[in-house]
Amino acid sequence: MRTRPLKVALLGCGVVGSEVARIMTTHADDLAARIGAPVELAGVAVRRPAKVRAGIDPALITTDATALVERGDIDVVIEVIGGIEPARSLITTAFEHGASVVSANKALLAEDGAALHAAAEKHGRDLYYEAAVAGAIPLVRPLRESLAGDKVNRVLGIVNGTTNFILDKMDTSGAGYSEALDEATALGYAEADPTADVEGFDAAAKAAILAGIAFHTRVRIGDVYREGITEVSAADIASAKRMGCTVKLLAICERAADGKSVTARVHPAMIPLSHPLASVREAYNAVFVEAEAAGQLMFYGPGAGGSPTASAVLGDLVAVCRNKLAQATGPGESAYARLPVSAMGEVTTRYHISLDVADKPGVLAQVATVFAEHGVSIDTVRQTGKDGEASLVVVTHRASDAALSGTVETLRKLDTVRGVASIMRVEGE
């Protein structure tokens, strides 16, 4: 074993960073044995230096992150500060000064991953980011390495623990969205400002990363169609139950049937209780991968939190340090396919539409005619009502998003349709 330690700079020492530092200290001997050399925490960049950080030598603390990554003797930089800047500049500076990078920054990778990979390749460094998607669940490396010889056709997953907790509580307790969100906040699953989670931004960033790796194509967060869960109601949950389904916020990355394009989207959807993702409860994550040769694979586990995310960071640290000792680099970006990303309007799926209509003869026939005019085939219809008002629930066969949008626009113009109560996609057939 080499006795000279590999030096590590840690950018950020919050929930994840502090856990990374703790594990590096408490498991130092094991890490050294697995790597083939000891690893040494050489500096920790923070914004609030006065804060007491148990187990970390105060002499390692600095507010000058740029100076830390420019030192020249740093072998690996671990970036867990998040956001676009200064993280992007710090990572590229680290490459320029000889360090490889381990990051958990999903937002930056989804926005500017191609440029970061190019910078890493230019300077002969590694860029690893297992922790950017689904916390402790090994997912990036299996897609990037284990399935590198296969053809992945679909990635379908629950990749945000906060929204899964909220929807699970709505399903199991009958709570409304606001009540479930309050419980998630009280338990620490939701941030004070939960927008990134509940509006789907977090899941969209992860979907962009997964689609890029799975399909060997550059996919940015702007390419990902996004809907959050704020409009999911108790009535939607009840409708799903009547269909033998549950509601989940899904990240869906698909290769077109002809193989000439891909799609990436995030939105709530009803999935059958028989589907493996339906049983994913509380704040857990799970991703279902469909590959041509491997078949169906499922990855499941805690998708967030200090310890789970730190586990993924440390796994990458071991891999990058081994590469350093071997004077090699691991796999970089694979974007050779250059497949176009199709717009959401071209995506086909099933739909569950709830309409408020007048309770009188001929209404169902009118509604069915509108669906037929737009080429949308109806699978089932359920109508209930009294005293002149009724609820009409229509479940379609597969139809394009554009066709469904045209259908709904026409339905809104009918005098007998009082309103469109909800529209939800049905996935996981």
Side-chain angles (χ1 to χ4, degrees):
M1 179 186 292
R2 193 179 88 164
T3 57
R4 182 169 64 82
L6 292 162
K7 294 189 176 183
V8 178
L10 178 61
L11 308 183
C13 198
V15 173
V16 176
S18 59
E19 191 65 8
V20 169
R22 184 192 68 79
I23 295 173
M24 284 185 64
T25 301
T26 57
H27 295 179
D29 290 343
D30 286 335
L31 289 172
R34 294 166 191 171
I35 292 168
V39 288
E40 172 190 315
L41 190 58
V44 181
V46 299
R47 286 183 295 177
R48 295 184 293 275
K51 181 180 177 180
V52 176
R53 294 173 172 83
I56 298 178
D57 182 353
L60 297 177
I61 301 296
T62 178
T63 57
D64 194 342
T66 301
L68 178 59
V69 299
E70 286 180 344
R71 275 178 37 173
D73 65 336
I74 300 296
D75 294 289
V76 183
V77 170
I78 297 175
E79 182 272 308
V80 288
I81 57 177
I84 305 301
E85 288 291 355
R88 174 167 47 198
S89 297
L90 291 169
I91 289 173
T92 55
T93 300
F95 292 145
E96 292 166 1
H97 288 78
S100 289
V101 173
V102 172
S103 176
N105 196 331
K106 54 188 169 286
L108 177 57
L109 288 158
E111 178 64 32
D112 215 16
L116 294 179
H117 276 293
E121 183 178 3
K122 176 182 177 181
H123 296 284
R125 311 301 172 201
D126 274 325
L127 174 62
Y128 276 51
Y129 44 90
E130 185 67 66
V133 181
I137 304 171
L139 184 58
V140 170
R141 203 171 303 162
L143 281 174
R144 192 159 70 165
E145 299 180 32
S146 302
L147 295 173
D150 207 340
K151 181 181 180 182
V152 176
N153 291 316
R154 196 174 196 224
V155 179
L156 172 76
I158 298 164
V159 295
N160 182 273
T162 301
T163 51
N164 200 58
F165 179 89
I166 292 170
L167 293 172
D168 182 50
K169 288 302 173 185
M170 292 175 69
D171 182 74
T172 56
S173 70
Y177 168 77
S178 296
E179 297 169 86
L181 174 59
D182 288 343
E183 184 175 353
T185 304
L187 292 172
Y189 292 128
E191 301 287 345
D193 179 1
T195 303
D197 293 322
V198 299
E199 294 292 357
F201 291 101
D202 175 85
K206 295 170 181 176
I209 294 169
L210 292 175
I213 299 170
F215 306 133
H216 305 277
T217 291
R218 287 178 179 168
V219 180
R220 299 179 66 184
I221 190 168
D223 298 319
V224 181
Y225 174 84
R226 175 191 56 79
E227 286 180 27
I229 66 167
T230 55
E231 300 300 317
V232 177
S233 66
D236 293 326
I237 301 293
S239 290
K241 284 187 174 182
R242 284 193 290 270
M243 289 177 58
C245 294
T246 189
V247 177
K248 299 291 186 183
L249 182 72
L250 298 179
I252 305 170
C253 310
E254 292 179 305
R255 188 188 300 271
D258 62 7
K260 295 180 180 180
S261 64
V262 299
T263 59
R265 50 196 166 104
V266 167
H267 53 72
M270 297 179 179
I271 58 172
L273 294 176
S274 58
H275 194 281
L277 291 179
S279 62
V280 179
R281 307 293 299 276
E282 298 198 332
Y284 277 76
N285 283 192
V287 178
F288 202 69
V289 177
E290 298 175 14
E292 203 164 86
Q296 297 178 332
L297 308 170
M298 184 164 163
F299 301 83
Y300 169 85
S307 293
T309 307
S311 171
V313 169
L314 269 295
D316 278 351
L317 176 65
V318 169
V320 170
C321 286
R322 286 172 173 169
N323 290 343
K324 278 276 183 180
L325 293 180
Q327 297 183 325
T329 55
E333 182 188 35
S334 175
Y336 72 90
R338 297 183 179 88
L339 297 172
V341 182
S342 297
M344 186 61 185
E346 300 175 41
V347 173
T348 63
T349 187
R350 298 174 66 208
Y351 288 88
H352 175 283
I353 305 103
S354 180
L355 304 171
D356 295 325
V357 300
D359 187 16
K360 61 182 184 180
V363 173
L364 179 56
Q366 277 188 314
V367 169
T369 297
V370 172
F371 276 86
E373 288 173 347
H374 289 273
V376 179
S377 175
I378 294 176
D379 183 15
T380 62
V381 178
R382 185 178 71 253
Q383 183 173 0
T384 59
K386 61 180 180 178
D387 300 327
E389 299 297 328
S391 175
L392 193 64
V393 175
V394 178
V395 179
T396 73
H397 289 291
R398 293 188 72 87
S400 72
D401 190 79
L404 196 282
S405 295
T407 303
V408 171
E409 185 178 346
T410 303
L411 287 171
R412 293 184 192 276
K413 297 175 182 177
L414 295 179
D415 291 339
T416 51
V417 175
R418 310 292 194 227
V420 179
S422 69
I423 302 171
M424 189 169 294
R425 295 169 181 87
V426 182
E427 299 284 349
E429 298 173 84

